[in-house]
Amino acid sequence: SLLGAALALERSHHYVLFVDSEPAAEMPAGVEVRRVRASTPAVEAARSDGRRALADLWSMSRALAAPELDCLLFPTVYSYVPVFSRAYKIVVIHDVIPERFPEHVFPTAAGRMYWNLKSLAARRQADLILTVSEFSRRGLIEHFGEPADRIRVVGEAPDAAFRVLDHPKLSERLGGLGLSPEQRLLVFVGGFSPHKNLLPLLDVFAALEGSDLRLVLVGDYETDAFQSCYGKVKERIARPPLEGRVIATGFVPDEELAALLNLATALVLPSQLEGFGLPAIEAAACGLPVVATISSPLPELLGAGALYVDPPDPQSLRWALERVLADPALREQLRRDGLQAASALTWSGAARQLLAVFDQVAHRHAQAA
């Protein structure tokens, strides 16, 4: 989304994408794609319990050291490899969740050690660090002691699929799971990592009254690369009082998800920490009231367009959900303010932030020439 928006704004830069597996999404027109052979794609090897083979790291490092490249952008620490070249190096660090909650991200001490080494190497080699919000920028400065001038923000935005729909309908698959527009639906969207606070959410939901009330957990629980608590969630929702009241959908495509968000009563995102909180922004863009963690940039991004809860305090979550379920006027106010806030976040705006970084790199190269 970011690269497509940048290409729509200007085409003075030449973009080369290095991939070690078949891309999951269609590549934007006007970019060069170079395939690097790997025994295991980085997206699989970078799992919480895995690591990349030295031969694969070396192959990618050699490819990225091509002399014609002026700037290297690693979109995550997971995709970083050391590269010894003259190119300006930029690493995107989305948040400090692995550092703040290592036990929730890495199941083994070895996994934590490999991550810390890789993160340190990425920060040391980076000429510039990008992150996705001012909230995450402050976290990087505080946790790593990075100088403020080494970190720039390039934000995120909802995809065009997430919008207010004139006649939303639940997909046949979601309807087959027992969901209905006549029900009051609380929706969670995201992974099943322990830091998402899903088990406390289940405890709170179990205490909410209403035979028509359902909690919908949207997210891929089968191939999640991060440490998952889905086993515990599955066991809990199979027993009373949650049996039949909580539905785990698995992965849901954007168009189906947008329809669900248009028909739901509220989105709930009670995570211990979020670097951006994109599901909440996507929900707000669909006109859905949001209940979200205060440990995130969402108070800055959505403002009065959401209710905020303190992750360690389940009572604050219960209070917020009871309020949003019981008060139509509050839901309308959250809908209105959320829509306005979400409309200010665009991929074009994020692309302008990125292009400003590239202009800085180009200026540096011109001075060095």
Short mmCIF file of all heavy atoms in Angstrom, two decimals, residues 57-117:
data_model
loop_
_atom_site.label_atom_id
_atom_site.label_comp_id
_atom_site.label_asym_id
_atom_site.label_seq_id
_atom_site.Cartn_x
_atom_site.Cartn_y
_atom_site.Cartn_z
N LEU A 57 20.79 -16.08 4.67
CA LEU A 57 21.19 -14.72 5.04
C LEU A 57 22.28 -14.20 4.09
O LEU A 57 22.25 -13.05 3.65
CB LEU A 57 21.68 -14.69 6.49
CG LEU A 57 20.65 -14.93 7.58
CD1 LEU A 57 21.35 -15.06 8.94
CD2 LEU A 57 19.64 -13.80 7.63
N TRP A 58 23.24 -15.08 3.78
CA TRP A 58 24.35 -14.71 2.91
C TRP A 58 23.86 -14.41 1.50
O TRP A 58 24.29 -13.43 0.88
CB TRP A 58 25.40 -15.82 2.91
CG TRP A 58 26.56 -15.58 1.99
CD1 TRP A 58 26.94 -16.34 0.92
CD2 TRP A 58 27.50 -14.50 2.03
NE1 TRP A 58 28.04 -15.81 0.30
CE2 TRP A 58 28.41 -14.69 0.97
CE3 TRP A 58 27.65 -13.40 2.88
CZ2 TRP A 58 29.46 -13.81 0.73
CZ3 TRP A 58 28.71 -12.51 2.63
CH2 TRP A 58 29.59 -12.73 1.58
N SER A 59 22.93 -15.23 0.99
CA SER A 59 22.40 -15.00 -0.36
C SER A 59 21.70 -13.66 -0.46
O SER A 59 21.90 -12.90 -1.42
CB SER A 59 21.43 -16.13 -0.74
OG SER A 59 22.10 -17.36 -0.83
N MET A 60 20.86 -13.35 0.55
CA MET A 60 20.16 -12.08 0.52
C MET A 60 21.13 -10.92 0.71
O MET A 60 21.02 -9.88 0.03
CB MET A 60 19.08 -12.05 1.61
CG MET A 60 18.24 -10.78 1.63
SD MET A 60 17.32 -10.48 0.10
CE MET A 60 15.99 -11.68 0.27
N SER A 61 22.11 -11.07 1.58
CA SER A 61 23.08 -10.01 1.81
C SER A 61 23.86 -9.69 0.53
O SER A 61 24.06 -8.51 0.20
CB SER A 61 24.05 -10.42 2.93
OG SER A 61 25.02 -9.42 3.14
N ARG A 62 24.28 -10.72 -0.18
CA ARG A 62 25.01 -10.51 -1.44
C ARG A 62 24.14 -9.79 -2.46
O ARG A 62 24.61 -8.89 -3.18
CB ARG A 62 25.48 -11.85 -2.00
CG ARG A 62 26.63 -12.48 -1.21
CD ARG A 62 27.06 -13.78 -1.85
NE ARG A 62 27.55 -13.56 -3.22
CZ ARG A 62 27.76 -14.54 -4.09
NH1 ARG A 62 27.51 -15.81 -3.75
NH2 ARG A 62 28.22 -14.29 -5.29
N ALA A 63 22.87 -10.20 -2.57
CA ALA A 63 21.99 -9.56 -3.54
C ALA A 63 21.78 -8.09 -3.22
O ALA A 63 21.76 -7.23 -4.11
CB ALA A 63 20.65 -10.30 -3.57
N LEU A 64 21.64 -7.77 -1.93
CA LEU A 64 21.39 -6.39 -1.52
C LEU A 64 22.64 -5.51 -1.60
O LEU A 64 22.53 -4.29 -1.51
CB LEU A 64 20.85 -6.37 -0.08
CG LEU A 64 19.46 -6.98 0.12
CD1 LEU A 64 19.10 -7.01 1.60
CD2 LEU A 64 18.40 -6.21 -0.66
N ALA A 65 23.79 -6.13 -1.75
CA ALA A 65 25.04 -5.37 -1.87
C ALA A 65 25.31 -4.92 -3.30
O ALA A 65 26.40 -4.40 -3.58
CB ALA A 65 26.21 -6.21 -1.34
N ALA A 66 24.35 -5.08 -4.20
CA ALA A 66 24.54 -4.66 -5.59
C ALA A 66 24.96 -3.19 -5.63
O ALA A 66 24.34 -2.34 -4.97
CB ALA A 66 23.25 -4.88 -6.37
N PRO A 67 26.02 -2.86 -6.39
CA PRO A 67 26.59 -1.51 -6.33
C PRO A 67 25.67 -0.41 -6.84
O PRO A 67 25.86 0.76 -6.50
CB PRO A 67 27.84 -1.63 -7.21
CG PRO A 67 27.59 -2.82 -8.09
CD PRO A 67 26.77 -3.76 -7.29
N GLU A 68 24.66 -0.74 -7.66
CA GLU A 68 23.80 0.31 -8.21
C GLU A 68 22.74 0.79 -7.22
O GLU A 68 22.04 1.77 -7.48
CB GLU A 68 23.11 -0.19 -9.49
CG GLU A 68 22.04 -1.26 -9.29
CD GLU A 68 22.61 -2.68 -9.29
OE1 GLU A 68 23.84 -2.83 -9.10
OE2 GLU A 68 21.82 -3.63 -9.49
N LEU A 69 22.62 0.13 -6.06
CA LEU A 69 21.58 0.49 -5.10
C LEU A 69 22.05 1.65 -4.21
O LEU A 69 23.12 1.60 -3.63
CB LEU A 69 21.22 -0.71 -4.23
CG LEU A 69 20.72 -1.95 -4.99
CD1 LEU A 69 20.48 -3.10 -4.02
CD2 LEU A 69 19.45 -1.63 -5.77
N ASP A 70 21.24 2.68 -4.11
CA ASP A 70 21.57 3.86 -3.30
C ASP A 70 21.03 3.77 -1.87
O ASP A 70 21.59 4.36 -0.96
CB ASP A 70 21.01 5.13 -3.95
CG ASP A 70 21.62 5.38 -5.32
OD1 ASP A 70 22.86 5.35 -5.42
OD2 ASP A 70 20.86 5.61 -6.28
N CYS A 71 19.90 3.07 -1.70
CA CYS A 71 19.23 3.03 -0.40
C CYS A 71 18.59 1.67 -0.21
O CYS A 71 17.95 1.14 -1.13
CB CYS A 71 18.17 4.14 -0.34
SG CYS A 71 17.22 4.17 1.21
N LEU A 72 18.75 1.10 0.97
CA LEU A 72 18.11 -0.17 1.32
C LEU A 72 17.09 0.10 2.42
O LEU A 72 17.42 0.72 3.43
CB LEU A 72 19.14 -1.18 1.83
CG LEU A 72 20.27 -1.57 0.87
CD1 LEU A 72 21.24 -2.53 1.57
CD2 LEU A 72 19.73 -2.19 -0.40
N LEU A 73 15.86 -0.38 2.22
CA LEU A 73 14.80 -0.22 3.20
C LEU A 73 14.33 -1.60 3.65
O LEU A 73 13.78 -2.35 2.85
CB LEU A 73 13.63 0.57 2.61
CG LEU A 73 12.37 0.68 3.47
CD1 LEU A 73 12.66 1.43 4.76
CD2 LEU A 73 11.24 1.35 2.71
N PHE A 74 14.57 -1.92 4.90
CA PHE A 74 14.08 -3.17 5.48
C PHE A 74 12.75 -2.88 6.17
O PHE A 74 12.72 -2.14 7.16
CB PHE A 74 15.08 -3.74 6.50
CG PHE A 74 16.40 -4.15 5.89
CD1 PHE A 74 17.48 -3.28 5.91
CD2 PHE A 74 16.55 -5.38 5.28
CE1 PHE A 74 18.71 -3.63 5.36
CE2 PHE A 74 17.77 -5.75 4.72
CZ PHE A 74 18.85 -4.88 4.76
N PRO A 75 11.62 -3.43 5.69
CA PRO A 75 10.32 -3.06 6.24
C PRO A 75 10.05 -3.60 7.64
O PRO A 75 9.13 -3.14 8.30
CB PRO A 75 9.32 -3.66 5.24
CG PRO A 75 10.08 -4.75 4.56
CD PRO A 75 11.50 -4.32 4.52
N THR A 76 10.86 -4.55 8.11
CA THR A 76 10.79 -5.03 9.49
C THR A 76 12.17 -5.50 9.91
O THR A 76 13.02 -5.80 9.07
CB THR A 76 9.82 -6.23 9.67
OG1 THR A 76 10.38 -7.36 9.01
CG2 THR A 76 8.45 -5.93 9.10
N VAL A 77 12.37 -5.63 11.21
CA VAL A 77 13.61 -6.23 11.70
C VAL A 77 13.69 -7.68 11.27
O VAL A 77 14.77 -8.22 11.03
CB VAL A 77 13.71 -6.10 13.24
CG1 VAL A 77 14.92 -6.85 13.79
CG2 VAL A 77 13.79 -4.64 13.65
N TYR A 78 12.52 -8.34 11.13
CA TYR A 78 12.50 -9.74 10.73
C TYR A 78 13.18 -9.94 9.38
O TYR A 78 13.81 -10.97 9.13
CB TYR A 78 11.06 -10.26 10.66
CG TYR A 78 10.38 -10.34 11.99
CD1 TYR A 78 9.53 -9.32 12.41
CD2 TYR A 78 10.58 -11.42 12.84
CE1 TYR A 78 8.90 -9.38 13.64
CE2 TYR A 78 9.96 -11.48 14.07
CZ TYR A 78 9.12 -10.47 14.47
OH TYR A 78 8.50 -10.52 15.69
N SER A 79 13.05 -8.97 8.47
CA SER A 79 13.61 -9.13 7.14
C SER A 79 15.03 -8.58 7.03
O SER A 79 15.66 -8.69 5.97
CB SER A 79 12.72 -8.42 6.11
OG SER A 79 12.70 -7.02 6.35
N TYR A 80 15.57 -8.03 8.11
CA TYR A 80 16.91 -7.44 8.07
C TYR A 80 17.99 -8.51 7.93
O TYR A 80 17.92 -9.58 8.52
CB TYR A 80 17.17 -6.63 9.35
CG TYR A 80 18.63 -6.30 9.54
CD1 TYR A 80 19.22 -5.26 8.83
CD2 TYR A 80 19.42 -7.06 10.40
CE1 TYR A 80 20.57 -4.97 8.99
CE2 TYR A 80 20.77 -6.78 10.56
CZ TYR A 80 21.34 -5.73 9.85
OH TYR A 80 22.67 -5.46 10.00
N VAL A 81 18.99 -8.20 7.12
CA VAL A 81 20.25 -8.96 7.07
C VAL A 81 21.39 -7.95 7.00
O VAL A 81 21.23 -6.87 6.45
CB VAL A 81 20.33 -9.90 5.84
CG1 VAL A 81 19.22 -10.95 5.88
CG2 VAL A 81 20.27 -9.12 4.53
N PRO A 82 22.55 -8.27 7.58
CA PRO A 82 23.68 -7.34 7.46
C PRO A 82 24.10 -7.21 5.99
O PRO A 82 24.16 -8.19 5.26
CB PRO A 82 24.77 -8.03 8.28
CG PRO A 82 24.06 -8.99 9.16
CD PRO A 82 22.86 -9.44 8.40
N VAL A 83 24.35 -5.98 5.57
CA VAL A 83 24.78 -5.71 4.19
C VAL A 83 25.97 -4.76 4.25
O VAL A 83 25.91 -3.72 4.90
CB VAL A 83 23.65 -5.08 3.36
CG1 VAL A 83 24.13 -4.82 1.93
CG2 VAL A 83 22.41 -5.98 3.35
N PHE A 84 27.02 -5.13 3.55
CA PHE A 84 28.23 -4.33 3.53
C PHE A 84 28.34 -3.67 2.16
O PHE A 84 28.81 -4.25 1.19
CB PHE A 84 29.45 -5.19 3.86
CG PHE A 84 29.29 -5.88 5.20
CD1 PHE A 84 28.87 -7.20 5.26
CD2 PHE A 84 29.51 -5.19 6.38
CE1 PHE A 84 28.71 -7.83 6.49
CE2 PHE A 84 29.34 -5.81 7.61
CZ PHE A 84 28.94 -7.13 7.66
N SER A 85 27.84 -2.45 2.09
CA SER A 85 27.83 -1.68 0.85
C SER A 85 27.76 -0.21 1.20
O SER A 85 27.58 0.17 2.36
CB SER A 85 26.64 -2.08 -0.03
OG SER A 85 25.44 -1.59 0.53
N ARG A 86 27.87 0.63 0.18
CA ARG A 86 27.81 2.08 0.39
C ARG A 86 26.38 2.58 0.55
O ARG A 86 26.16 3.75 0.90
CB ARG A 86 28.45 2.80 -0.81
CG ARG A 86 27.64 2.63 -2.09
CD ARG A 86 28.19 3.47 -3.25
NE ARG A 86 27.32 3.34 -4.41
CZ ARG A 86 26.24 4.08 -4.62
NH1 ARG A 86 25.91 5.00 -3.73
NH2 ARG A 86 25.49 3.91 -5.69
N ALA A 87 25.39 1.73 0.29
CA ALA A 87 23.99 2.17 0.29
C ALA A 87 23.58 2.68 1.67
O ALA A 87 24.00 2.16 2.70
CB ALA A 87 23.08 1.02 -0.14
N TYR A 88 22.72 3.69 1.68
CA TYR A 88 22.11 4.21 2.90
C TYR A 88 21.13 3.16 3.39
O TYR A 88 20.33 2.61 2.62
CB TYR A 88 21.38 5.51 2.56
CG TYR A 88 20.94 6.34 3.73
CD1 TYR A 88 21.79 7.29 4.28
CD2 TYR A 88 19.66 6.22 4.24
CE1 TYR A 88 21.39 8.09 5.34
CE2 TYR A 88 19.23 7.02 5.29
CZ TYR A 88 20.10 7.95 5.84
OH TYR A 88 19.69 8.75 6.88
N LYS A 89 21.16 2.85 4.68
CA LYS A 89 20.36 1.73 5.20
C LYS A 89 19.30 2.24 6.18
O LYS A 89 19.61 2.93 7.15
CB LYS A 89 21.28 0.70 5.86
CG LYS A 89 22.26 0.09 4.85
CD LYS A 89 23.36 -0.71 5.51
CE LYS A 89 24.32 -1.24 4.45
NZ LYS A 89 25.11 -0.13 3.82
N ILE A 90 18.06 1.82 5.91
CA ILE A 90 16.92 2.22 6.73
C ILE A 90 16.23 0.95 7.24
O ILE A 90 15.96 0.03 6.46
CB ILE A 90 15.91 3.05 5.92
CG1 ILE A 90 16.59 4.31 5.36
CG2 ILE A 90 14.70 3.42 6.77
CD1 ILE A 90 15.71 5.09 4.40
N VAL A 91 15.96 0.90 8.52
CA VAL A 91 15.25 -0.24 9.12
C VAL A 91 13.97 0.27 9.77
O VAL A 91 13.99 1.27 10.49
CB VAL A 91 16.12 -0.97 10.17
CG1 VAL A 91 15.32 -2.10 10.83
CG2 VAL A 91 17.38 -1.52 9.53
N VAL A 92 12.86 -0.42 9.49
CA VAL A 92 11.59 -0.08 10.12
C VAL A 92 11.42 -0.94 11.37
O VAL A 92 11.45 -2.16 11.30
CB VAL A 92 10.41 -0.31 9.16
CG1 VAL A 92 9.10 0.11 9.83
CG2 VAL A 92 10.60 0.46 7.86
N ILE A 93 11.25 -0.29 12.52
CA ILE A 93 10.96 -0.99 13.78
C ILE A 93 9.57 -0.53 14.21
O ILE A 93 9.37 0.62 14.56
CB ILE A 93 12.00 -0.66 14.87
CG1 ILE A 93 13.41 -1.01 14.37
CG2 ILE A 93 11.69 -1.41 16.15
CD1 ILE A 93 14.52 -0.68 15.36
N HIS A 94 8.62 -1.43 14.15
CA HIS A 94 7.22 -1.06 14.34
C HIS A 94 6.88 -0.72 15.79
O HIS A 94 6.02 0.13 16.04
CB HIS A 94 6.31 -2.18 13.84
CG HIS A 94 6.34 -2.35 12.35
ND1 HIS A 94 5.30 -2.02 11.53
CD2 HIS A 94 7.33 -2.80 11.53
CE1 HIS A 94 5.63 -2.25 10.27
NE2 HIS A 94 6.85 -2.73 10.24
N ASP A 95 7.51 -1.41 16.73
CA ASP A 95 7.15 -1.21 18.14
C ASP A 95 8.22 -1.86 19.01
O ASP A 95 9.20 -2.40 18.51
CB ASP A 95 5.78 -1.82 18.45
CG ASP A 95 5.66 -3.26 17.96
OD1 ASP A 95 6.49 -4.10 18.36
OD2 ASP A 95 4.74 -3.57 17.17
N VAL A 96 8.03 -1.80 20.33
CA VAL A 96 8.95 -2.44 21.27
C VAL A 96 8.26 -3.59 22.00
O VAL A 96 8.63 -3.94 23.12
CB VAL A 96 9.53 -1.42 22.28
CG1 VAL A 96 10.47 -0.46 21.58
CG2 VAL A 96 8.43 -0.69 23.03
N ILE A 97 7.25 -4.19 21.37
CA ILE A 97 6.54 -5.31 21.99
C ILE A 97 7.48 -6.48 22.30
O ILE A 97 7.43 -7.04 23.40
CB ILE A 97 5.36 -5.76 21.11
CG1 ILE A 97 4.28 -4.66 21.09
CG2 ILE A 97 4.76 -7.08 21.62
CD1 ILE A 97 3.17 -4.91 20.09
N PRO A 98 8.39 -6.89 21.38
CA PRO A 98 9.29 -8.01 21.71
C PRO A 98 10.20 -7.71 22.90
O PRO A 98 10.60 -8.63 23.62
CB PRO A 98 10.11 -8.20 20.43
CG PRO A 98 9.28 -7.61 19.35
CD PRO A 98 8.58 -6.45 19.98
N GLU A 99 10.53 -6.44 23.09
CA GLU A 99 11.39 -6.08 24.20
C GLU A 99 10.60 -5.91 25.51
O GLU A 99 11.08 -6.27 26.59
CB GLU A 99 12.14 -4.78 23.89
CG GLU A 99 13.23 -4.92 22.85
CD GLU A 99 12.72 -5.07 21.43
OE1 GLU A 99 11.57 -4.62 21.15
OE2 GLU A 99 13.44 -5.63 20.58
N ARG A 100 9.40 -5.36 25.42
CA ARG A 100 8.59 -5.15 26.62
C ARG A 100 7.96 -6.45 27.13
O ARG A 100 7.80 -6.65 28.33
CB ARG A 100 7.48 -4.14 26.32
CG ARG A 100 7.95 -2.70 26.14
CD ARG A 100 8.10 -1.99 27.47
NE ARG A 100 6.88 -2.05 28.28
CZ ARG A 100 5.84 -1.24 28.13
NH1 ARG A 100 5.87 -0.28 27.21
NH2 ARG A 100 4.79 -1.36 28.92
N PHE A 101 7.59 -7.34 26.19
CA PHE A 101 6.90 -8.58 26.56
C PHE A 101 7.55 -9.78 25.87
O PHE A 101 6.89 -10.50 25.11
CB PHE A 101 5.42 -8.49 26.19
CG PHE A 101 4.71 -7.32 26.80
CD1 PHE A 101 4.44 -6.19 26.04
CD2 PHE A 101 4.31 -7.35 28.12
CE1 PHE A 101 3.79 -5.10 26.58
CE2 PHE A 101 3.66 -6.26 28.69
CZ PHE A 101 3.41 -5.13 27.93
N PRO A 102 8.84 -10.02 26.11
CA PRO A 102 9.52 -11.12 25.41
C PRO A 102 8.89 -12.47 25.66
O PRO A 102 8.87 -13.33 24.77
CB PRO A 102 10.96 -11.05 25.93
CG PRO A 102 10.86 -10.33 27.24
CD PRO A 102 9.74 -9.34 27.07
N GLU A 103 8.36 -12.68 26.87
CA GLU A 103 7.77 -13.98 27.20
C GLU A 103 6.49 -14.23 26.41
O GLU A 103 6.06 -15.38 26.25
CB GLU A 103 7.47 -14.05 28.70
CG GLU A 103 6.34 -13.17 29.20
CD GLU A 103 6.72 -11.70 29.37
OE1 GLU A 103 7.86 -11.33 29.03
OE2 GLU A 103 5.87 -10.93 29.85
N HIS A 104 5.87 -13.17 25.89
CA HIS A 104 4.65 -13.32 25.09
C HIS A 104 4.95 -13.48 23.60
O HIS A 104 4.05 -13.80 22.83
CB HIS A 104 3.74 -12.10 25.26
CG HIS A 104 3.14 -12.00 26.62
ND1 HIS A 104 3.06 -13.07 27.49
CD2 HIS A 104 2.57 -10.94 27.28
CE1 HIS A 104 2.48 -12.69 28.61
NE2 HIS A 104 2.18 -11.40 28.52
N VAL A 105 6.19 -13.23 23.20
CA VAL A 105 6.54 -13.27 21.78
C VAL A 105 7.41 -14.48 21.44
O VAL A 105 7.22 -15.12 20.40
CB VAL A 105 7.28 -11.97 21.38
CG1 VAL A 105 7.69 -12.01 19.90
CG2 VAL A 105 6.40 -10.75 21.65
N PHE A 106 8.34 -14.81 22.35
CA PHE A 106 9.28 -15.90 22.08
C PHE A 106 9.11 -17.01 23.11
O PHE A 106 9.21 -16.77 24.31
CB PHE A 106 10.72 -15.37 22.13
CG PHE A 106 10.96 -14.19 21.24
CD1 PHE A 106 11.07 -12.92 21.77
CD2 PHE A 106 11.05 -14.35 19.87
CE1 PHE A 106 11.28 -11.82 20.96
CE2 PHE A 106 11.26 -13.26 19.05
CZ PHE A 106 11.37 -11.99 19.59
N PRO A 107 8.85 -18.24 22.65
CA PRO A 107 8.61 -19.33 23.60
C PRO A 107 9.86 -19.85 24.27
O PRO A 107 9.78 -20.56 25.27
CB PRO A 107 7.96 -20.42 22.73
CG PRO A 107 8.47 -20.15 21.34
CD PRO A 107 8.63 -18.65 21.26
N THR A 108 11.05 -19.52 23.73
CA THR A 108 12.29 -20.06 24.29
C THR A 108 13.28 -18.94 24.55
O THR A 108 13.24 -17.87 23.93
CB THR A 108 12.94 -21.07 23.32
OG1 THR A 108 13.36 -20.38 22.13
CG2 THR A 108 11.97 -22.18 22.96
N ALA A 109 14.22 -19.21 25.46
CA ALA A 109 15.29 -18.25 25.75
C ALA A 109 16.17 -18.05 24.53
O ALA A 109 16.67 -16.95 24.28
CB ALA A 109 16.11 -18.73 26.94
N ALA A 110 16.37 -19.13 23.75
CA ALA A 110 17.19 -19.02 22.54
C ALA A 110 16.55 -18.07 21.54
O ALA A 110 17.24 -17.26 20.91
CB ALA A 110 17.38 -20.40 21.92
N GLY A 111 15.23 -18.14 21.40
CA GLY A 111 14.54 -17.24 20.49
C GLY A 111 14.70 -15.79 20.89
O GLY A 111 14.91 -14.91 20.05
N ARG A 112 14.64 -15.53 22.21
CA ARG A 112 14.82 -14.16 22.70
C ARG A 112 16.25 -13.68 22.43
O ARG A 112 16.46 -12.54 22.05
CB ARG A 112 14.52 -14.10 24.19
CG ARG A 112 13.08 -14.40 24.54
CD ARG A 112 12.89 -14.56 26.04
NE ARG A 112 11.72 -15.39 26.32
CZ ARG A 112 11.42 -15.89 27.49
NH1 ARG A 112 12.22 -15.64 28.54
NH2 ARG A 112 10.36 -16.63 27.67
N MET A 113 17.22 -14.58 22.62
CA MET A 113 18.61 -14.20 22.40
C MET A 113 18.86 -13.85 20.93
O MET A 113 19.48 -12.82 20.62
CB MET A 113 19.54 -15.34 22.82
CG MET A 113 21.02 -15.03 22.62
SD MET A 113 22.09 -16.46 22.90
CE MET A 113 21.69 -17.46 21.46
N TYR A 114 18.37 -14.70 20.01
CA TYR A 114 18.56 -14.43 18.58
C TYR A 114 17.90 -13.11 18.18
O TYR A 114 18.46 -12.33 17.40
CB TYR A 114 17.99 -15.57 17.73
CG TYR A 114 18.82 -16.83 17.76
CD1 TYR A 114 18.25 -18.06 18.07
CD2 TYR A 114 20.18 -16.80 17.46
CE1 TYR A 114 19.01 -19.22 18.09
CE2 TYR A 114 20.95 -17.95 17.47
CZ TYR A 114 20.36 -19.16 17.79
OH TYR A 114 21.12 -20.30 17.81
N TRP A 115 16.70 -12.86 18.72
CA TRP A 115 16.02 -11.61 18.40
C TRP A 115 16.83 -10.41 18.89
O TRP A 115 16.99 -9.43 18.16
CB TRP A 115 14.63 -11.58 19.01
CG TRP A 115 14.00 -10.21 18.88
CD1 TRP A 115 13.98 -9.23 19.82
CD2 TRP A 115 13.39 -9.68 17.71
NE1 TRP A 115 13.36 -8.11 19.32
CE2 TRP A 115 12.99 -8.35 18.03
CE3 TRP A 115 13.12 -10.18 16.45
CZ2 TRP A 115 12.34 -7.54 17.11
CZ3 TRP A 115 12.47 -9.37 15.53
CH2 TRP A 115 12.09 -8.07 15.86
N ASN A 116 17.30 -10.45 20.12
CA ASN A 116 18.05 -9.33 20.67
C ASN A 116 19.31 -9.05 19.86
O ASN A 116 19.66 -7.88 19.63
CB ASN A 116 18.41 -9.61 22.13
CG ASN A 116 17.20 -9.55 23.05
OD1 ASN A 116 16.22 -8.88 22.74
ND2 ASN A 116 17.25 -10.27 24.16
N LEU A 117 19.99 -10.11 19.43
CA LEU A 117 21.18 -9.93 18.61
C LEU A 117 20.85 -9.30 17.26
O LEU A 117 21.53 -8.40 16.79
CB LEU A 117 21.89 -11.27 18.41
CG LEU A 117 22.59 -11.86 19.65
CD1 LEU A 117 23.10 -13.27 19.35
CD2 LEU A 117 23.76 -10.96 20.08
#
